[in-house]
């Protein structure tokens, strides 16, 4: 099985969930920095990643069909991280630089639009998909759009399903992904 | 001193940094859920919060002038959390539902716009400030705008400073907050 594990920006950011997954893995991939942060918890084979391309990712996926493989990502795997490159992985979240930055300047994530200018010039006008944090009874009216509803994440009642066009939220802990950008 | 501490969505999300701050605090405030997640680490006085208003927040700030007070926030304090209500607090990040959701649907934070519909109907066209994740040499040209540059967060060389109008990033680990919305 393949896990993509966020290790945060420093050792004190590691969660117990991340530590457990890392220490159970037969093989652990990561950049120098990520391996250093997680070092204490790595028990399997350690591989320093130097290539970050399609072939590397697909080879790792193949390897993970036969054993437990953890790919470490500094920060969070889904914040300009490695998560999006692996299609069949379980993602273990970690503390990202975005969260640290927002804490330092006292701004909420909902007030900002996060842009990745690591690999290209930032595009400031681009249309984005929406991620709506909602309680019960919020009406989402998006004719022609696909929505993914995520309810009660990490609880025993976690439910993920797809709807179209219109949806009224049914749980106080709902996140709805609205596909605006095709 | 006042700490606003993210406790994630479950016990396994707690970071070592959060555990340490919680166990050092003389007094710990939180919702029922937040207190339950952190329970094992609370050594000081435990206070279940029921009011979430200005007066409560200012009273807590005053109390924190004389002792170490931790306010727990489920998820992350800066993701539709309690962080933005406290002006002079040290924010300790936690795993947010946004990160868990993005992991489940394999989408990166940079692809989405996060909206808080907890307390009001979501506004889908609102102008947002920008948070640009950049490496060295990215040019940001925003005449008349204030920018806050955050370099090398959580490392020994962490630096935070303000610039105006134009900026070319100088570190491979830079986040720039651009004030677009006034």
């Amino acid at each position: 099985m393949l896990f993509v594990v966020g290790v945060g920006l420093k050792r004190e950011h590691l969660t117990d969930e991340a530590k457990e997954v890392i220490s159970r893995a037969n093989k652990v991939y990561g950049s120098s920095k990520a391996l250093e942060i997680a070092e204490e918890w790595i028990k399997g084979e350690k591989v320093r990643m130097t290539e970050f391309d399609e072939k590397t990712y697909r080879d790792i996926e193949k390897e993970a069909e036969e054993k437990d493989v953890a790919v470490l990502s500094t920060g969070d795997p889904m914040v300009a991280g490695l998560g999006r490159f692996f299609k069949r992985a379980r993602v273990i979240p970690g503390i990202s630089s975005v969260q640290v930055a927002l804490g330092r300047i006292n701004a909420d994530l909902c007030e900002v639009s996060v842009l990745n200018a690591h690999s290209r010039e930032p595009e400031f006008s681009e249309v984005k998909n929406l991620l709506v944090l909602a309680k019960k009874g919020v009406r989402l009216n998006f004719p022609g759009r696909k929505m993914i509803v995520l309810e009660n994440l990490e609880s025993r009642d976690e439910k993920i399903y797809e709807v179209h066009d219109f949806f009224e939220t049914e749980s106080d802990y709902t996140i709805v992904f609205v596909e605006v950008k095709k």
Side-chain angles (χ1 to χ4, degrees), chain A:
Chain A
M1 181 148 185
L2 180 58
F3 298 86
V4 186
V5 185
V7 298
L9 305 188
K10 58 179 185 184
R11 212 135 67 102
E12 296 78 8
H13 278 168
L14 275 174
T15 65
D16 286 348
E17 186 178 55
K19 289 174 192 169
E20 210 205 304
V21 168
I22 292 165
S23 60
R24 268 198 337 240
N26 306 112
K27 202 161 176 180
V28 178
Y29 287 88
S31 65
S32 305
K33 180 158 186 211
L35 290 171
E36 194 193 311
I37 291 172
E39 194 157 41
E40 196 180 331
W41 308 94
I42 300 172
K43 299 197 174 119
E45 189 187 344
K46 196 162 39 169
V47 185
R48 204 168 304 273
M49 283 175 88
T50 48
E51 305 284 322
F52 293 84
D53 55 23
E54 269 303 306
K55 188 181 174 313
T56 307
Y57 303 142
R58 296 297 84 80
D59 286 350
I60 292 175
E61 281 183 343
K62 195 160 284 169
E63 212 178 353
E65 287 169 11
E66 278 153 33
K67 50 184 157 195
D68 279 347
V69 176
V71 176
L72 308 183
S73 186
T74 50
D76 183 89
M78 308 317 295
V79 179
L82 293 174
R84 65 191 190 280
F85 301 121
F86 296 97
K87 295 307 166 203
R88 290 159 311 186
R90 180 135 186 256
V91 175
I92 309 296
I95 302 298
S96 69
S97 56
V98 164
Q99 294 166 275
V100 175
L102 293 170
R104 297 283 197 273
I105 61 175
N106 204 258
D108 195 277
L109 182 63
C110 301
E111 296 167 36
V112 301
S113 181
V114 184
L115 305 177
N116 183 0
H118 274 123
S119 48
R120 53 180 177 88
E121 289 300 298
E123 294 165 26
F124 295 108
S125 61
E126 66 186 329
V127 177
K128 292 192 172 197
N129 297 314
L130 303 178
L131 200 71
V132 184
L133 315 182
K135 58 180 182 182
K136 193 176 169 175
V138 172
R139 293 152 162 271
L140 298 160
N141 195 12
F142 290 98
R145 300 296 183 188
K146 183 178 100 174
M147 293 180 255
I148 303 173
V149 181
L150 304 108
E151 288 174 1
N152 310 313
L153 285 171
E154 292 290 1
S155 86
R156 234 181 292 170
D157 312 319
E158 177 170 323
K159 237 168 85 185
I160 300 177
Y161 54 98
E162 205 177 298
V163 295
H164 289 258
D165 308 320
F166 177 83
F167 181 68
E168 182 170 335
T169 59
E170 292 163 7
S171 158
D172 273 339
Y173 302 96
T174 305
I175 294 184
V176 183
F177 173 83
V178 185
E179 197 183 60
V180 175
K181 192 179 171 182
K182 295 234 174 182

